[in-house]
Amino acid sequence: MLVLIAIPLLEIALLIKIGQVIGFWATVLLVVGTAGLGSWLLHSQGVGTLRRVMAAMDEGKPPVAPVIDGFLLMVAGLLLVMPGIITDVLGLILLIPFVRKLVVRFGLSRLMVVTVGGRSWT
């Protein structure tokens, strides 16, 4: 609950500080520009992800990797659409393929649980 209150307050404080340094209109242009980038990314990567999922299915492979990669790209796009510098930086970081692979590897390692003889192993 505290995070839901703290992040918007941090975003506002950071936007005010950046506005003081680079100016009001430059800050507005920065926020609108990253929102435009996020919107374009959501559209283009959604279509690309669908193509990769269909290609994996045509090859008889499970489309897990393209689906997760597409999901992370969607999250990156949504973070870029949200106004604020912190969310924009997180969105830009998620655009880096290496970072997405690390996030997928970490997430899958946390999700994969093997049960042997009634005992769970991760």
Side-chain angles (χ1 to χ4, degrees):
M1 184 71 171
L2 184 62
V3 172
L4 295 175
I5 296 170
I7 289 179
L9 292 176
L10 287 172
E11 291 282 14
I12 291 169
L14 194 55
L15 283 172
I16 290 170
K17 281 295 187 189
I18 289 175
Q20 290 173 345
V21 172
I22 66 173
F24 173 78
W25 291 111
T27 305
V28 169
L29 184 62
L30 180 69
V31 169
V32 171
T34 56
L37 173 67
S39 176
W40 172 80
L41 178 71
L42 283 172
H43 174 71
S44 66
Q45 293 302 320
V47 172
T49 299
L50 183 60
R51 286 186 185 139
R52 288 191 304 273
V53 167
M54 297 302 284
M57 290 175 60
D58 287 342
E59 294 173 5
K61 297 178 182 176
V64 174
V67 167
I68 294 174
D69 192 53
F71 173 75
L72 290 175
L73 286 169
M74 183 183 72
V75 169
L78 289 173
L79 287 170
L80 287 170
V81 169
M82 293 172 60
I85 302 302
I86 298 169
T87 55
D88 289 345
V89 168
L90 291 174
L92 289 171
I93 289 171
L94 272 179
L95 290 179
I96 302 169
F98 175 73
V99 173
R100 285 195 312 270
K101 286 181 184 179
L102 286 176
V103 170
V104 168
R105 191 173 301 146
F106 177 77
L108 287 178
S109 72
R110 296 290 176 221
L111 290 175
M112 301 295 266
V113 177
V114 178
T115 304
V116 178
R119 184 173 175 189
S120 294
W121 301 84
T122 56

